[in-house]
Amino acid sequence: MSKLLKALAAVTVSFAAAAAFAQADWPKQPITFIMTFPAGSGVDVVARTIQEPLGKVLGQPVVIDYKVGAAGNVASEYVSRAKPDGYTVVFGTAATHGSNAALYKKLPFDVEADFVPVTPILDVSNVLTINPDVMNVKTLKEFVDEVRAHPGKYNYASTGNGTGTHMAFAELNSKLGLNMVHVPYKGGPEAMQAILKGETCCIMNQVQTVLTQYKAGKVRLLGVTTAKRVAAVQEVPTIAESGIPGTQGFDSSTWFALFAPKGTDPAVVAKLNGAVRQVLQMPEVRSKLESAGNTIRLETPEQFKATVHANRQKWAEVVRQANITIE
């Protein structure tokens, strides 16, 4: 081997060793969760639940930075352009990294190509929540009958255009042929206040965000969007259990997850994935999340990549059937 080749080989080995050391040494500074939705939203509650224990596992604090807007697209775009060093990740959802790709005609990023799926955190069930003073029905069948008898009369709230709460209701309306008016709000707290004030009749909101009002008797729950009942509200049937034609197999749950910018080192991704999995299996964290109506989801980065792709295809079909577009 010539002196030049030996020198190049030595340099290559040196760079490889430096990269390996950098991976092993990660993290050396705080990790920032770029938040897609406002403080007090379901996503925010979950992020804050894992924030402190994850920081302890990683040996560095986890910081939450809100970049809210455009159904999570503002935060997603920011992270798609961030340095791929593992220190800036977006706290995304099945909407921000799935249905948004079909809803928005022009996105400044690709929800798959421009991100590395790090790890899912949990599956979230939405639940059809109504203000009984606006619509005094007690079952999903009564709800459907009332809406069909008065097409266009009732408004439903969401936490924003293109969010999971919007898409879940859009999917139900499409399957059942319901004529309702969509009223988007800036986030979960605003949408729930609209329900309580009677501005709108109903919402497909996350179980964890309606529990307090439900237990206080201020709202009524008619059906969860998951395939199985949710432990936190075991008495509430699934939408599929209603037996209404069009609801068979209905499953409109969503997930929350972490995504890093494309180009992030696989070793760093694997380390963050392992740390999150460790936190999610802590009894106190698991108990808090599950008691709020969530289901812990544990997947490797490779498994989650397949989940993201399948989710994107599923919501693209829902958007097509519901004929929804957002500029």
Side-chain angles (χ1 to χ4, degrees), residues 78 92 106 124 221 224 230 247 283:
Y78 179 86
K106 294 182 180 180
V124 184
L221 308 184
V224 294
V230 176
T247 63

Side-chain angles (χ1 to χ4, degrees), residues 148 170-178 245-248 250 321:
R148 285 176 173 168
E171 183 175 12
L172 182 70
N173 288 346
S174 177
K175 287 183 177 295
L176 300 184
L178 303 182
T247 63
Q248 291 78 7
F250 190 89
Q321 291 182 353

Side-chain angles (χ1 to χ4, degrees), residues 23-323:
Q23 296 159 13
D25 203 30
W26 184 92
K28 296 186 290 185
Q29 64 188 57
I31 296 93
T32 300
F33 285 174
I34 302 299
M35 192 55 56
T36 43
F37 297 99
S41 63
V43 177
D44 180 56
V45 170
V46 172
R48 291 193 175 279
T49 300
I50 69 171
Q51 180 183 16
E52 184 176 349
L54 181 60
K56 290 180 178 179
V57 169
L58 291 172
Q60 289 288 346
V62 173
V63 178
I64 295 178
D65 184 8
Y66 299 90
K67 296 192 181 299
V68 178
N73 290 334
V74 172
S76 296
E77 180 180 5
Y78 179 86
V79 173
S80 73
R81 302 177 188 278
K83 186 177 180 180
D85 54 12
Y87 293 111
T88 304
V89 296
V90 63
F91 206 103
T93 71
T96 65
H97 286 73
S99 57
N100 279 8
L103 285 166
Y104 289 83
K105 293 181 179 179
K106 294 182 180 180
L107 284 178
F109 55 85
D110 186 287
V111 298
E112 290 186 85
D114 290 333
F115 297 90
V116 177
V118 176
T119 181
I121 296 168
L122 45 77
D123 287 321
V124 184
S125 174
N126 288 316
V127 59
L128 178 52
T129 305
I130 68 167
N131 181 332
D133 293 330
V134 178
M135 185 189 286
N136 189 21
V137 296
K138 297 181 179 179
T139 67
L140 181 61
K141 184 179 184 308
E142 290 179 359
F143 173 86
V144 171
D145 289 344
E146 174 66 16
V147 173
R148 285 176 173 168
H150 303 92
K153 173 182 176 180
Y154 291 104
N155 300 336
Y156 71 91
S158 80
T159 56
N161 278 319
T163 60
T165 58
H166 177 200
M167 297 308 298
F169 224 127
E171 183 175 12
L172 182 70
N173 288 346
S174 177
K175 287 183 177 295
L176 300 184
L178 303 182
N179 182 354
M180 302 184 72
V181 179
H182 173 222
V183 181
Y185 288 85
K186 293 181 179 180
E190 293 85 353
M192 275 307 298
Q193 281 302 308
I195 300 298
L196 295 173
K197 292 177 181 178
E199 293 177 8
T200 59
C201 74
C202 44
I203 187 172
M204 284 278 202
N205 214 349
Q206 296 151 19
V207 170
Q208 63 184 352
T209 62
V210 304
L211 271 178
T212 300
Q213 306 299 345
Y214 171 58
K215 291 178 179 178
K218 295 181 179 180
V219 296
R220 187 173 292 160
L221 308 184
L222 301 184
V224 294
T225 62
T226 41
K228 297 181 180 180
R229 293 197 183 197
V230 176
V233 287
Q234 187 65 34
E235 68 279 10
V236 180
T238 68
I239 286 176
E241 284 181 75
S242 69
I244 300 171
T247 63
Q248 291 78 7
F250 190 89
D251 185 356
S252 194
S253 58
T254 187
W255 39 253
F256 295 165
L258 296 179
F259 294 84
K262 69 177 180 181
T264 302
D265 194 292
V268 171
V269 171
K271 191 169 184 179
L272 181 53
N273 175 281
V276 172
R277 288 162 67 99
Q278 183 178 335
V279 167
L280 293 176
Q281 294 177 88
M282 293 177 177
E284 64 275 19
V285 174
R286 176 180 286 272
S287 176
K288 187 172 183 178
L289 292 175
E290 291 182 338
S291 65
N294 305 302
T295 302
I296 302 297
R297 185 174 193 140
L298 302 176
E299 292 181 352
T300 65
E302 293 74 21
Q303 290 170 328
F304 185 46
K305 182 178 181 180
T307 296
V308 172
H309 182 69
N311 178 83
R312 181 178 185 174
Q313 291 182 315
K314 184 249 185 176
W315 286 113
E317 180 60 19
V318 171
V319 169
R320 186 191 67 79
Q321 291 182 353
N323 193 30

